[in-house]
Amino acid sequence: MKYKFMIAILMVFLIVLSSCNSNIANGSAETLNTYDKLVSEYPNMHIQQYRGYVFYVDENGSNVVAELGDDYNTFVKTEKYPNVEPTIDDFSLIKAGMSVFEVVQKVGLPIGSHSFGLSTLTFEATDGTKFRINWSADMTVIEISAIEWDY
């Protein structure tokens, strides 16, 4: 009788354990799943929020882009890319229709949004050349241009 009871307890434990998120077992669980949590856990980190997206460098030096949900807090998609040092030639790879994720993968994080009333982000090449990317409402590239900028 004790043996059957122990097996039943073990079976319940295994069922509960198997229903847990498998990402936790392999150590890749995403714990920063909201903007509020990111800001509270890393109060001194430079975090840029722009039109439903968040850009930052994580503790491992990776460039991170997170798309925010309708509440502008929950991360609905997060991508990490190695830090890059983009050349002017890298910016020639940016084409109309590319997503914000594709752009960050190729040329790194934006340095800001420095236009008033326009949907743009500014990026910088290693030689200091600045590029302005105009975005559509769904955050795909409309056009890219080198700019003169003395801020």
Side-chain angles (χ1 to χ4, degrees), residues 108-121:
L109 297 176
I111 60 171
S113 175
H114 302 100
S115 60
F116 298 100
L118 301 174
S119 296
T120 67
L121 286 171

Side-chain angles (χ1 to χ4, degrees), residues 85-94 107 124-131 144 146:
E85 295 184 9
T87 65
I88 291 176
D89 291 339
D90 292 325
F91 284 91
S92 69
L93 301 173
I94 306 302
V107 298
E124 185 173 10
T126 52
D127 73 345
T129 303
K130 310 292 188 294
F131 290 87
I144 181 171

Side-chain angles (χ1 to χ4, degrees), residues 23-48:
N23 287 336
I24 293 172
N26 67 24
S28 63
E30 180 60 57
T31 58
L32 296 175
N33 54 8
T34 67
Y35 179 75
D36 290 342
K37 190 169 186 179
L38 174 67
V39 171
S40 68
E41 289 192 22
Y42 298 98
N44 298 319
M45 180 184 289
H46 174 73
I47 302 167
Q48 182 177 356

